[in-house]
DNA sequence: TGACTCATGGTCGCTTTCAATCATAATGCG
DNA sequence: CGCATTATGATTGAAAGCGACCATGAGTCA
């Protein structure tokens, strides 16, 4: 009939059974949705706004949820990798533009091997929803495709590097030795006339295995990477088929890349200066819906 | 002169360079933080609140961001696995309680092998921050530990099942054959007197390999799993060391489990009363006449 | 039984946020 | 340059959210 509350303990802070169960349902709801407004929760749980507010206060103090003006975020277990956090947004613009150029050169039905790194991550984001097979050693990339039934996903195993979230080690290399993919998209920490360099010893080996597994090799690297060496040598320029970079790349480098027999694509991250005059590459397929004006 | 004002409605056009750059910085900021308030963005980008609002309108229409009252969420590339979404919250309470009992029986310094599944995921959540080594075939579990420098993480590779986010196939089994862990935490789709059952053919093989790699074996399964078979047989009860379940487990089952030489831990999801059935019994209060207003 | 605690729902005033509007500065174009 | 368009910042009234307070009802304990 009416609410029964069998709470026997009067320790002050311990909530009763009903309360606990409702809060449990609440965080489950928020966990699934990622975000919920106060009103959503009132409707979902069938209690008053006041009660929801009290629940949120308790859950926030407990650390499970995070309140915002007008709603809640799920705060439990959302880990973020430092590599993706610390970058300054300026470079992201170049990375995105480079990624777009690389992604549009990948066809449906291909098997694509995606390296770790922020630029390849952007490539991966643009490939979500496409009908392709994806092979990767990167946890963030794998997450993008994990719930996509459109794409098949193969993940390389091994030891996971905490900072970058990529799988390393002999096991990953071994698995790579048995795979063949149509296109590999590789990142690099440094590029010189000799070839690609990377900052991680184990990763270099893995990337070499990636090169061997590939039909064709794309390298995505913004212009700041050129002329810089890094810890270990990965590969010569001759194993690269296509290199995508941004307009910050000097004329000398462009020539040198082309001289090595590598196809070079240079993209303009944000047409700030009329360097090449053409900034009309923006297709406006979005017809503006006539916004209703409120009187 | 006409009094028309085009400003308010002509926002669907191509934005200028500066605007585009700022919006790019904006989504980068939101991407990193997950959520940002209007005020955060004003401070971060150094423009007025009105401008931020216009940016958010544009980005929301474009699908990159999602507005809430008082802030923005990042909306790009957050994939969620269906298995974690569709569960009814009632079971989550039992799962959490079971997980807590299992997690507190794992010591610092151990090497723990975590299976896929929602209950083992809860175990994993409780192990975050502990000094342990983690081996898993589950992508969601791996995500929990990926940015944790406290714990070493080894991920099994192979084909990733889209619905559950676990790695399957011969590659995973092969790597497991070369590993040894102190404790394996296993889930099950069904448990009978004969042993554990699972719903996935390939996963059964992987779980058998997990059993072989383990020093001791925990099985976490809520009481609804008992007496149910599933697609394939995984293992007999004799390979299990500890079974954790909830109080819904009947006395017959408890006896049968113990008779098989398995340690049994039964936890109470809601420590005082099961309380199933109607939970919103305050409904009839709504017909109460409006109370006097207080000044 | 009566005092007490817990959980809840409703209402108040106050604060924040929102959308819309206007005015001005910056930009683009012939 | 002059004109048109866009981008921005400030303002304003309306709406929504918030914390605090109080009343009610159920259950517990002495």
């Amino acid at each position: 009939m009416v609410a029964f509350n069998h709470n026997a303990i009067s320790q002050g802070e311990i909530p009763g059974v009903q309360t606990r169960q409702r809060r449990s349902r609440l965080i489950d709801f928020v966990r699934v949705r990622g975000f919920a407004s106060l009103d959503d929760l009132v409707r979902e749980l069938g209690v008053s706004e006041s009660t929801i507010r009290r629940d949120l206060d308790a859950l926030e103090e407990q650390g499970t949820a995070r309140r915002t003006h007008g709603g809640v975020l799920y705060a439990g277990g959302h880990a973020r990798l430092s590599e993706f956090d610390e970058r300054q947004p300026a470079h992201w613009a170049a990375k995105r533009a480079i990624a777009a150029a690389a992604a549009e050169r990948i066809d449906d039905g291909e098997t694509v091997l995606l390296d770790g790194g922020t630029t390849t991550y952007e490539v991966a984001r643009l490939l979500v929803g496409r009908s392709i097979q994806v092979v990767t050693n990167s946890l963030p990339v794998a997450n993008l495709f994990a719930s996509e039934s459109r794409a098949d996903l193969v993940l390389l195993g091994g030891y996971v590097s905490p900072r970058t979230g990529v799988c390393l080690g002999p096991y990953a290399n071994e698995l790579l030795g048995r795979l063949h993919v149509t296109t590999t998209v590789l990142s690099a920490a440094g590029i010189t006339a000799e070839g690609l360099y990377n900052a991680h010893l184990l990763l270099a080996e893995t990337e070499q295995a990636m090169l061997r597994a590939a039909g064709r090799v794309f390298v995505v690297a913004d212009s700041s990477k050129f002329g810089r060496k890094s810890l270990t040598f990965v590969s010569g320029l001759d194993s690269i088929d296509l290199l995508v970079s941004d307009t910050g790349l000097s004329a000398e480098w462009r020539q040198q890349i082309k001289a090595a027999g590598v196809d070079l694509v240079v993209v303009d991250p944000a047409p700030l200066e009329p360097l090449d005059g053409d900034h009309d590459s923006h297709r406006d397929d979005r017809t503006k819906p006539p916004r209703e004006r409120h009187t």
Side-chain angles (χ1 to χ4, degrees), chain A residues 224-237:
Chain A
S224 71
K225 304 285 170 58
F226 286 81
R228 288 195 343 206
K229 287 192 181 183
S230 190
L231 182 65
T232 45
F233 179 75
V234 175
S235 145
L237 293 178

Side-chain angles (χ1 to χ4, degrees), chain A residues 3-267:
Chain A
F4 35 100
N5 187 354
H6 290 200
N7 189 4
I9 311 165
S10 46
Q11 278 286 1
E13 302 229 351
I14 302 173
V17 178
Q18 283 210 340
T19 308
R20 204 136 24 106
Q21 285 189 332
R22 183 188 54 247
R23 288 182 185 166
S24 179
R25 289 211 293 151
L26 196 156
I27 66 170
D28 285 332
F29 185 70
V30 175
R31 182 219 308 273
V32 171
R33 305 240 314 205
F35 176 86
S37 76
L38 267 273
D39 211 43
D40 291 338
L41 294 169
V42 168
R43 229 171 299 119
E44 174 70 17
L45 301 175
V47 292
S48 79
E49 193 185 300
S50 300
T51 303
I52 298 289
R53 278 217 168 75
R54 276 185 285 258
D55 288 348
L56 295 186
D57 285 341
L59 290 172
E60 181 166 49
E61 191 156 346
Q62 173 193 328
T64 320
R66 187 176 138 206
R67 297 193 60 178
T68 76
H69 291 236
V72 234
L73 293 165
Y74 183 60
H78 250 291
R80 296 182 169 275
L81 296 166
S82 58
E83 179 176 6
F84 288 80
D85 288 2
E86 290 162 3
R87 305 299 168 126
Q88 51 268 51
H91 276 184
W92 277 97
K95 286 176 197 299
R96 254 197 306 275
I98 291 169
E104 71 187 21
R105 283 169 175 79
I106 290 170
D107 299 319
D108 279 3
E110 279 201 56
T111 302
V112 185
L113 175 48
L114 289 165
D115 191 13
T118 50
T119 313
T120 50
Y121 177 79
E122 289 296 322
V123 176
R125 277 188 58 198
L126 296 168
L127 293 177
V128 169
R130 302 269 301 271
S131 294
I132 55 173
Q133 271 197 304
V134 176
V135 183
T136 186
N137 65 333
S138 160
L139 212 46
V141 170
N143 285 324
L144 292 176
F145 294 99
S147 60
E148 259 297 311
S149 50
R150 211 60 167 289
D152 271 350
L153 173 64
V154 174
L155 184 59
L156 304 178
Y159 175 74
V160 178
S161 155
R163 202 174 44 82
T164 58
V166 298
C167 298
L168 302 170
Y171 179 71
N173 307 345
E174 203 173 300
L175 177 49
L176 272 170
R178 290 185 242 167
L179 297 176
H180 177 79
V181 300
T182 56
T183 305
T184 287
V185 182
L186 218 63
S187 60
I191 299 177
T192 72
E194 288 111 56
L196 309 178
Y197 286 80
N198 213 315
H200 208 292
L201 190 62
L202 292 173
L203 187 55
E205 275 185 64
T206 303
E207 290 185 337
Q208 284 160 5
M210 287 180 172
L211 289 170
R212 284 194 295 272
R216 57 176 185 170
V217 175
F218 290 2
V219 171
V220 287
D222 61 82
S223 55
S224 71
K225 304 285 170 58
F226 286 81
R228 288 195 343 206
K229 287 192 181 183
S230 190
L231 182 65
T232 45
F233 179 75
V234 175
S235 145
L237 293 178
D238 53 336
S239 23
I240 305 174
D241 295 294
L242 176 71
L243 202 152
V244 187
S245 187
D246 60 272
T247 46
L249 195 62
S250 72
E252 295 84 47
W253 274 114
R254 301 187 192 201
Q255 200 149 16
Q256 206 151 6
I257 299 297
K258 285 177 185 164
V262 178
D263 280 343
L264 178 64
V265 172
V266 174
V267 295

